[in-house]
Amino acid sequence: MQGFLSDPDVAARILDHISGESTDEGDVVWREPVANYVSPERYQRELDGVLRRLPVPFCPSAALPEPGSYVARSAAGVPLLAARDEEGVVRVFRNSCRHRGTEVAQGAGCSKSFVCPYHAWTYRLSGALSHVPHERGFPNLDRSEHGLVEVASREEQGIVFVNQHATDDFDWGQLPDMVGGGQRLLAITEAPVAANWKVALEGFIEGYHIRATHPESFYPYGYDNLNLVETVGRHSRVTYPFRRIESLADVAPERRKVLGLLTYVYHLFPNVLVTVLSHHTNLVVLEPTGIASTTFHVYTMTNRTDAGSDEDAKARRDAEFVNDSGGAEDRAIVESIQRSISTGANEAFTFGRFEKAIVHFHTQLRAVLAE
Ligand code: FES
Ligand SMILES: [Fe+2]
């Protein structure tokens, strides 16, 4: 699988677009029926046939930095629990006690074992059932048959993937160099957004809206409708250059470094984004919580190439700025779309040549649903 462009090639193509007043364009205009955003049947098929069937990023390795680290959250509506064991191996389980189903962990933290809050059945990091209070009440209980139920998972290049149905393999080809095992986690945040997960996603992967939606937040640093849009397999990357990238015109092409001069937004099909900004990287999971609601699970990390606590402060400041300014503007737009969806004004939404990554997403989604 051919990968994304190298940084010097990205820089060259952006400088060409700046001088030519052009942008990357797709070949087709796509009409996506609005029914596909409101149909409960379609929503259920997206959960069962896509989000639970494919390998999907669950969290970055940085969220599980040491033995005992765990992250519990729902993925496609199913409560899961990822934990790193004493040997450093990450496992993912269905977060459901084998006694009567209570979730055995919440949120994120570090623990030697998982003690169910209901009657205190206790599980090791490996998922094995290690303790049952007053066990004589369960004659003949085979503990080895009552460990937490494991879900297929794999940790690769700084990301923990899960595959709930394990019907697909984990071949992602060469993952781009966006997340690595050595990055430090700065924060995990959750934000509910009153919009369908696809509407929420679409807000991240085109730059046609930057000038109109973000006149005072992002646009002063960026361009009007100037982006690179690449696709690799089912995935895509949209590049948002800052105006300061023009300084690279005076740098030899092979020596051009782009970090800090642009934002990369990777869309990892179907519902995960990795945004690489000047001082921090976010892995954002768009978790559907209903047909018209989504929770953003945001894992904020240092950048791959950053080191030292100075960078942490800059990263936190930047993350706050992006979230409170442009991020809030984006969330307001997608919630506005969601409110209007039931008006019946649109039978379809139209995605044009500049919205190529969204066209790619819908093309892929349709293909996976048809498999
Ligand atoms: S439900 Fe977990 S110990 Fe009873
Ligand atoms: Fe935006």
Side-chain angles (χ1 to χ4, degrees):
M1 185 155 59
Q2 183 104 31
F4 294 107
L5 292 175
S6 69
D7 285 357
D9 288 349
V10 163
R13 200 149 127 192
I14 289 169
L15 293 173
D16 281 349
H17 278 321
I18 292 169
S19 54
E21 295 186 7
S22 55
T23 186
D24 278 6
E25 295 184 27
D27 308 320
V28 295
V29 171
W30 179 274
R31 304 253 310 153
E32 180 67 11
V34 170
N36 287 344
Y37 297 87
V38 297
S39 150
E41 184 267 341
R42 165 78 178 223
Y43 175 67
Q44 207 51 50
R45 284 204 297 136
E46 289 169 357
L47 292 179
D48 284 336
V50 185
L51 287 112
R52 293 177 190 146
R53 188 171 73 80
L54 300 180
V56 177
F58 182 76
C59 68
S61 298
L64 301 169
E66 56 191 347
S69 300
Y70 67 87
V71 170
R73 69 169 178 82
S74 287
V78 177
L80 297 181
L81 167 62
R84 192 178 296 283
D85 74 9
E86 288 87 352
E87 276 78 51
V89 176
V90 173
R91 287 195 191 76
V92 181
F93 307 100
R94 296 184 191 276
N95 190 2
S96 181
C97 179
R98 299 302 306 284
H99 177 214
R100 282 168 53 195
T102 311
E103 293 167 323
V104 300
Q106 300 288 335
C110 195
S111 181
K112 287 195 162 57
S113 59
F114 299 109
V115 181
C116 178
Y118 202 176
H119 316 88
W121 284 29
T122 302
Y123 303 88
R124 291 189 221 285
L125 298 171
S126 65
L129 177 62
S130 60
H131 178 65
V132 174
H134 306 289
E135 196 165 0
R136 67 182 179 79
F138 301 90
N140 307 321
L141 175 79
D142 183 351
R143 280 205 221 157
S144 70
E145 294 279 300
H146 288 79
L148 295 174
V149 176
E150 194 168 349
V151 174
S153 68
R154 178 146 155 190
E155 182 176 27
E156 204 169 304
Q157 278 181 261
I159 296 179
V160 175
F161 294 87
V162 292
N163 187 348
Q164 297 193 38
H165 287 189
T167 52
D168 203 348
D169 66 24
F170 280 85
D171 184 12
W172 280 65
Q174 184 60 33
L175 276 177
D177 201 24
M178 51 187 178
V179 180
Q183 282 165 273
R184 286 187 312 288
L185 185 79
L186 299 172
I188 301 177
T189 50
E190 283 177 27
V193 175
N196 177 268
W197 71 278
K198 294 178 293 180
V199 173
L201 170 70
E202 289 157 2
F204 283 90
I205 53 175
E206 52 90 356
Y208 174 49
H209 75 278
I210 296 291
R211 181 174 175 176
T213 304
H214 306 297
E216 284 164 18
S217 54
F218 295 156
Y219 176 58
Y221 303 97
Y223 293 90
D224 179 20
N225 200 30
L226 197 165
N227 300 93
L228 303 192
V229 184
E230 303 162 75
T231 62
V232 171
R234 294 183 186 125
H235 319 295
S236 63
R237 179 174 75 175
V238 181
T239 303
Y240 299 79
F242 298 131
R243 294 180 197 202
R244 53 183 185 259
I245 202 168
E246 290 175 34
S247 63
L248 289 185
D250 304 325
V251 177
E254 67 283 0
R255 293 187 48 233
R256 288 172 181 163
K257 294 212 167 51
V258 298
L259 188 69
L261 304 178
L262 53 73
T263 298
Y264 283 136
V265 176
Y266 295 87
H267 171 218
L268 305 182
F269 186 89
N271 66 327
V272 175
L273 297 150
V274 174
T275 60
V276 181
L277 297 104
S278 302
H279 297 287
H280 69 292
T281 297
N282 284 330
L283 188 146
V284 185
V285 179
L286 307 180
E287 165 68 7
T289 51
I291 195 165
S293 60
T294 303
T295 294
F296 287 21
H297 293 273
V298 184
Y299 300 87
T300 301
M301 299 168 270
T302 54
N303 278 339
R304 285 212 70 169
T305 51
D306 286 350
S309 53
D310 268 17
E311 281 302 318
D312 288 14
K314 281 186 206 154
R316 283 176 210 279
R317 197 191 54 215
D318 265 25
E320 215 165 284
F321 167 76
V322 171
N323 183 56
D324 296 351
S325 64
E329 290 161 352
D330 284 322
R331 291 191 293 276
I333 290 282
V334 300
E335 292 188 337
S336 162
I337 293 170
Q338 187 66 45
R339 282 194 298 277
S340 93
I341 261 180
S342 60
T343 63
N346 291 292
E347 225 167 87
F349 291 142
T350 306
F351 300 102
R353 290 174 177 272
F354 310 132
E355 294 153 303
K356 174 184 167 186
I358 302 176
V359 173
H360 184 66
F361 164 63
H362 284 295
T363 306
Q364 298 302 314
L365 185 59
R366 195 169 285 187
V368 173
L369 284 167
E371 278 171 6

